[in-house]
């Protein structure tokens, strides 16, 4: 018999043999080999020790109030969500498309109308300050002086003023 | 065995996986079927999580989350695999997240408190001597440490293989790996455990 450790599925076969999961016929054929093969014997002995050690590790019993706590969480979390979601879901099923369309239109309109106000106030204030340049002020004062002189000439040339 | 179950084939579902049929009843609003599933799988889920995170309180908290998710998902449940594959996929996902988040780091410090709570049978009928208890504690601690040092996926695979007696194919589905990947994962894990625990024979 070929040593299981030399074939591809050997480890799988030896694991099954160690745990007693190998069928009777295959187990009976393998037993004499394991007895005489030091490598296989070491594998099987070691693996049986692992099974036994793991068997000793018993988990603690589940708390007696486990179910009560779970059902309370279900009542709190699931029921709350269903209370909120059920009317919405049924409304969507009955009037899904019109509601969705109306919602989409409302959101789009809101976004479009809201766009100008989206510009920060500070930015608009800053742009007004930038427009008042010194040469512009000087030019405006010159134009006001010219206008004042023109008005004065008009008054002196009028017939009323000659009287 | 082919795990795949077709929706709407009540008889086929029952033949292949009674749990899947119970879950389909839960989907239809039968709360009692959820109770049956909870009764059937509560202990195995809590124990699996306990051995994964090695803390009883954290394990129970995670198990609560597992069953809560099962209940929440009832509306969209489709029996495309064995119920336990789905259940342990949720449990493994939560356990791995918990280990990665280090949520149970503080709890790990209380390992000694947990290990003091021996299962009831250890202290009831045949009261063990103090020496026997101490020997048991030492051996248990070795086992727990050996499992804890395994990489997370190897740990999950060993626990499902040893304690839940799952086939390689089912473990592969739970961990979303190929069957050959699971075999090699398990063989490496057992190799590590043999090196650490063989002397306990």
């Amino acid at each position: 018999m070929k040593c299981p450790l030399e074939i591809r599925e050997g480890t799988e076969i030896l694991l099954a043999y160690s745990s007693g999961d190998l069928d009777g016929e295959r187990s009976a054929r393998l037993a004499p080999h394991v007895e005489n093969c030091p490598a296989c014997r070491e594998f099987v002995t070691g693996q049986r020790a692992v099974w036994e050690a793991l068997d000793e590790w018993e988990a603690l019993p589940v708390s007696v109030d486990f179910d009560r706590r779970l059902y309370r969480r279900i009542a709190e979390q699931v029921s709350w969500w269903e209370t909120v979601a059920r009317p919405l879901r049924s409304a969507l099923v009955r009037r899904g498309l019109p509601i969705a369309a109306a919602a989409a239109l409302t959101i789009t309109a809101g976004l479009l109308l809201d766009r100008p106000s989206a510009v920060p106030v500070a930015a608009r204030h800053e742009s007004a300050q930038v427009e008042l340049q010194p040469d512009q002020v000087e030019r405006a004062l010159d134009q006001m002086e010219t206008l004042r002189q023109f008005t004065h000439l008009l008054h002196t040339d009028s017939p009323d003023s000659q009287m | 065995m082919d795990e795949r179950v077709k929706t709407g084939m009540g008889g086929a579902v029952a033949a292949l996986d009674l749990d899947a049929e119970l879950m389909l009843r839960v989907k239809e609003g039968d709360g009692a079927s959820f109770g049956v599933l909870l009764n059937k799988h509560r202990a195995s889920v809590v124990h699996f999580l306990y051995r994964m995170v090695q803390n009883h309180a954290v394990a129970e908290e995670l198990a609560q989350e597992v069953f809560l998710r099962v209940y929440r998902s009832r509306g969209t449940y489709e029996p495309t695999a064995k119920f336990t594959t789905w259940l342990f996929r949720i449990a493994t996902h939560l356990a791995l997240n918990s280990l990665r988040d280090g949520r149970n780091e503080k709890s790990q410090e209380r390992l000694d408190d947990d290990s003091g709570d021996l299962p009831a049978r250890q202290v009831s009928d045949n009261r063990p001597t103090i020496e026997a208890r101490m020997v048991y504690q030492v051996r248990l601690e070795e086992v727990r440490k050996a499992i804890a040092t395994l990489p997370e996926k190897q740990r999950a695979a060993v626990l499902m293989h040893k304690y839940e007696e799952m086939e390689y194919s089912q473990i592969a589905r739970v961990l979303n790996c190929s069957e050959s990947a699971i075999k090699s994962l398990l063989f490496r894990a057992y190799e590590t455990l043999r090196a650490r625990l063989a002397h306990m024979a």
Side-chain angles (χ1 to χ4, degrees):
Chain A
M1 183 184 186
K2 198 168 185 182
C3 177
L5 292 174
E6 290 171 8
I7 59 172
R8 198 162 161 261
E9 302 85 13
T11 315
E12 195 178 336
I13 292 166
L14 283 175
L15 272 180
Y17 177 80
S18 312
S19 60
D21 289 337
L22 205 63
D23 63 74
E25 193 190 332
R26 290 175 81 190
S27 185
R29 269 194 285 135
L30 188 60
H33 172 82
V34 172
E35 280 294 309
N36 296 312
C37 173
C40 286
R41 198 167 56 240
E42 188 187 348
F43 183 105
V44 171
T45 310
Q47 191 57 41
R48 282 182 178 156
V50 169
W51 295 134
E52 282 170 27
L54 295 179
D55 280 337
E56 286 186 45
W57 189 15
E58 291 180 33
L60 299 173
V62 180
S63 303
V64 287
D65 66 339
F66 183 89
D67 288 7
R68 189 181 53 78
R69 284 188 286 135
L70 176 65
Y71 285 123
R72 194 175 60 207
R73 284 180 71 176
I74 286 174
E76 284 169 5
Q77 296 183 28
V78 179
S79 301
W80 175 85
W81 169 244
E82 285 183 354
T83 307
V84 174
R86 192 171 290 156
L88 287 174
R89 197 164 47 209
S90 60
L92 279 173
V93 168
R94 273 188 272 115
R95 293 171 258 160
L97 195 61
I99 288 175
L105 275 172
T106 310
I107 291 166
T108 311
L111 285 173
L112 287 171
L113 290 171
D114 201 36
R115 191 170 277 175
S117 66
V119 179
V121 175
R124 277 184 289 168
H125 182 64
E126 191 182 359
S127 67
Q129 282 179 335
V130 170
E131 280 170 13
L132 290 173
Q133 298 299 323
D135 57 334
Q136 287 174 315
V137 175
E138 203 175 303
R139 212 179 306 133
L141 288 170
D142 286 345
Q143 285 167 353
M144 281 170 73
E145 178 60 23
T146 309
L147 189 63
R148 194 185 59 78
Q149 287 171 0
F150 180 67
T151 311
H152 177 72
L153 285 171
L154 269 179
H155 283 294
T156 49
D157 289 344
S158 69
D160 290 340
S161 64
Q162 288 176 355
M163 285 174 64
Chain B
M1 187 178 84
D2 184 12
E3 280 185 356
R4 294 190 68 80
V5 181
K6 297 269 191 301
T7 314
M9 294 173 66
V13 170
L16 290 170
D17 188 2
L18 176 64
D19 294 338
E21 182 160 339
L22 285 166
M23 194 59 207
L24 285 173
R25 286 188 202 156
V26 177
K27 185 179 182 176
E28 288 159 14
D30 180 10
S33 291
F34 180 75
V36 175
L37 284 170
L38 178 62
N39 261 334
K40 195 172 171 188
H41 299 289
R42 183 199 305 109
S44 59
V45 169
V46 172
H47 293 168
F48 169 74
L49 289 165
Y50 168 66
R51 290 182 175 114
M52 276 298 287
V53 300
Q54 304 211 356
N55 177 275
H56 194 65
V58 175
E60 285 210 354
E61 184 60 28
L62 292 174
Q64 293 254 324
E65 187 62 32
V66 171
F67 286 106
L68 192 65
R69 287 188 185 195
V70 166
Y71 192 78
R72 269 202 212 126
S73 310
R74 69 197 185 285
T76 54
Y77 176 74
E78 293 295 337
T80 52
K82 273 180 88 170
F83 175 79
T84 47
T85 303
W86 181 52
L87 185 70
F88 276 85
R89 194 178 291 156
I90 299 172
T92 305
H93 174 76
L94 288 171
L96 295 180
N97 276 351
S98 171
L99 289 168
R100 284 165 197 166
D101 291 351
R103 255 170 63 185
N104 60 326
E105 270 174 14
K106 284 181 187 172
S107 316
Q108 287 280 358
E109 292 164 11
R110 298 196 306 267
L111 271 175
D112 291 343
D113 299 342
D114 265 8
S115 59
D117 299 333
L118 293 175
R121 72 172 183 83
Q122 296 287 327
V123 290
S124 57
D125 302 324
N126 305 317
R127 279 177 176 269
T129 60
I130 293 171
E131 290 82 6
R133 277 179 67 93
M134 283 175 70
V135 169
Y136 175 79
Q137 293 277 9
V138 171
R139 289 171 66 87
L140 190 61
E141 197 54 32
E142 270 197 75
V143 175
R144 287 157 63 118
K145 278 184 182 163
I147 290 286
T149 53
L150 291 176
E152 292 159 2
K153 266 194 167 180
Q154 286 188 22
R155 196 187 315 175
V158 165
L159 297 179
M160 283 185 270
H161 185 243
K162 171 69 182 90
Y163 297 103
E164 307 309 322
E165 298 180 344
M166 282 188 194
E167 304 278 341
Y168 297 121
S169 57
Q170 191 178 1
I171 300 170
R173 285 192 178 94
V174 172
L175 294 179
N176 206 21
C177 300
S178 68
E179 198 174 322
S180 60
I182 286 299
K183 281 180 185 173
S184 108
L185 196 79
L186 270 172
F187 301 157
R188 282 202 307 276
Y190 282 130
E191 201 170 15
T192 308
L193 292 177
R194 280 198 300 277
R196 291 190 67 126
L197 301 174
H199 68 279
M200 290 174 73

